[in-house]
Amino acid sequence: MALPKPNIVPYSIPVPNNMGVVRYVLAFSVIVAHFNTLVGGDVWFPITSYAGVGGFFALSGFLIYGSFLKQNHTMGYVRRRAVRLLPAYWTTVLLFAFGLVTVSSLSVIEYFVSPQFWKYLVANLTFLNFIEPTLPGVFCGMPIGAVNVSLWTMKVEWMLYLSVPIVVWLIRKICCRPVVMFCCIYLSSAAYRLVFDWLFCHTGDEIYYILGRQFVGQMMYFYVGVMVYYYYDAFMRYKWPMLLVALALLLCQDWIPYFSILVHPLAFGVVVIWASMVGRWGTFGGLRDNVSYNIYLVHAPVLQLLAFFCVSERIGMWGTFLFGVLIITILSIAINILVEKPIHRWLHSRS
């Protein structure tokens, strides 16, 4: 059977849409998961952090592929991504690197002259947080000593962005149909995950688990988003059958071997983009001034601080959770108002 005809790309994704609210839901799923892990809570949410991160990557693929095609200039494309991501990211790294001196077991002077502090600063500002995830004397003795357990995804995000110009070049160079290239990427990414999953299961060495979820292992989610973008008209034409198939697959995950690796990126990616683009139920949470990205960046250190100060022993699990969400939201909005907006206004005035 012939494949549906692709859209004439690039084109502008229809607005208003529900993507802003969907991004908040995905960010909330990561907050819940890390609250349970870092604070020791027992809050239930139907979306896991693994799925939440994958959903973000699927939305990125859906949005970013067209962004590159519209410019077709790698440096301009990278510059736009940098302007969007770096101000909040660098602010988060600097804010907690300097602010957490107040909870360090070291003196102020010892903290700032420590090579570990400067190593942390350089590594995290350059997306290499795995080199030094901890600060001197901070969160010592806690189950997880890392300052921000979410930052590992940022280097993956950048590598996915940088893969787009290469994929577009390959498609043009070898004159293949884009859908063939996207499917090959999906299958290669799945094979990569299977190999490292097998190594982790047979050796017990956590390094294989960590490597398995890095850049290549996340390409499935990203390029599912790209495929939906490329065939968006067909996706919307058959939106209800596609949703039913995706939901059926998600409901049958316990009976599908290697579901999380082979099927989940496709099924969940379809559901996330479907929820983002079908109907107008969430247009009030549009992308403008959307702080879900900031929420994702700042939530883990805030939760670490709640655990460090044993807040749950004073106000209970749910009180701690709600208090944490409040602080995370306020901090995310503050970064948007005090950092992102002034930078964007300044850059716009110079363009």
Side-chain angles (χ1 to χ4, degrees), residues 23 57 60 64 77-93 125 127 151 153-162 293-294 296-297 335 339-340 343-344 347:
R23 287 163 64 93
F57 288 146
S60 290
I64 299 308
Y77 165 75
V78 172
R79 191 180 302 113
R80 285 174 64 90
R81 292 295 88 213
V83 169
R84 171 66 184 93
L85 297 182
L86 291 182
Y89 178 82
W90 282 345
T91 299
T92 300
V93 172
L125 287 174
F127 302 100
L151 295 189
T153 63
M154 294 310 301
K155 66 179 181 300
V156 175
E157 184 89 355
W158 268 105
M159 293 177 76
L160 289 169
Y161 291 163
L162 295 176
Y293 171 61
N294 301 3
Y296 182 82
L297 290 176
I335 290 174
V339 178
E340 291 181 299
I343 290 176
H344 293 163
L347 290 173

Side-chain angles (χ1 to χ4, degrees), residues 88-331:
Y89 178 82
W90 282 345
T91 299
T92 300
V93 172
L94 293 170
L95 175 66
F96 288 103
F98 285 91
L100 289 176
V101 64
T102 57
V103 299
S104 174
S105 59
L106 304 182
S107 68
V108 173
I109 294 176
E110 290 173 328
Y111 181 85
F112 286 115
V113 300
S114 170
Q116 185 182 5
F117 171 79
W118 295 103
K119 184 178 179 182
Y120 174 89
L121 209 57
V122 172
N124 284 266
L125 287 174
T126 55
F127 302 100
L128 301 175
N129 63 297
F130 62 92
I131 293 178
E132 184 53 79
T134 60
L135 283 166
V138 175
F139 303 143
C140 295
M142 297 184 66
I144 298 177
V147 172
N148 197 329
V149 294
S150 293
L151 295 189
W152 70 271
T153 63
M154 294 310 301
K155 66 179 181 300
V156 175
E157 184 89 355
W158 268 105
M159 293 177 76
L160 289 169
Y161 291 163
L162 295 176
S163 75
V164 171
I166 297 172
V167 169
V168 171
W169 178 82
L170 284 173
I171 290 171
R172 293 170 178 170
K173 185 72 174 178
I174 62 181
C175 299
C176 74
R177 297 177 69 179
V179 68
V180 174
M181 177 64 71
F182 303 149
C183 288
C184 288
I185 291 172
Y186 189 98
L187 294 174
S188 299
S189 178
Y192 172 91
R193 285 291 309 276
L194 286 171
V195 168
F196 280 93
D197 183 72
W198 184 88
L199 289 170
F200 173 63
C201 291
H202 284 76
T203 66
D205 192 336
E206 193 175 1
I207 187 62
Y208 295 119
Y209 172 77
I210 294 172
L211 291 173
R213 64 178 186 169
Q214 297 302 313
F215 160 61
V216 177
Q218 301 295 343
M219 292 181 79
M220 288 180 285
Y221 287 100
F222 187 85
Y223 280 93
V224 162
V226 173
M227 281 192 283
V228 174
Y229 173 82
Y230 202 82
Y231 288 94
Y232 181 72
D233 288 344
F235 176 83
M236 294 302 289
R237 190 179 311 126
Y238 302 108
K239 58 182 179 291
W240 290 107
M242 294 194 72
L243 175 66
L244 292 174
V245 171
L247 291 176
L249 289 172
L250 291 172
L251 291 173
C252 295
Q253 59 184 289
D254 292 337
W255 295 279
I256 301 176
Y258 299 104
F259 174 87
S260 65
I261 295 175
L262 299 177
V263 182
H264 187 271
L266 177 61
F268 191 71
V270 166
V271 170
V272 165
I273 297 174
W274 192 98
S276 298
M277 303 307 298
V278 175
R280 294 291 182 265
W281 57 271
T283 56
F284 60 90
L287 290 176
R288 185 176 180 182
D289 294 336
N290 187 288
V291 295
S292 57
Y293 171 61
N294 301 3
I295 287 172
Y296 182 82
L297 290 176
V298 306
H299 78 276
V302 172
L303 296 178
Q304 280 281 51
L305 285 168
L306 295 179
F308 178 79
F309 288 112
C310 303
V311 176
S312 61
E313 296 180 6
R314 297 176 175 85
I315 61 176
M317 182 187 73
W318 281 106
T320 303
F321 179 73
L322 295 174
F323 179 66
V325 170
L326 177 63
I327 297 301
I328 291 165
T329 303
I330 292 173
L331 189 55

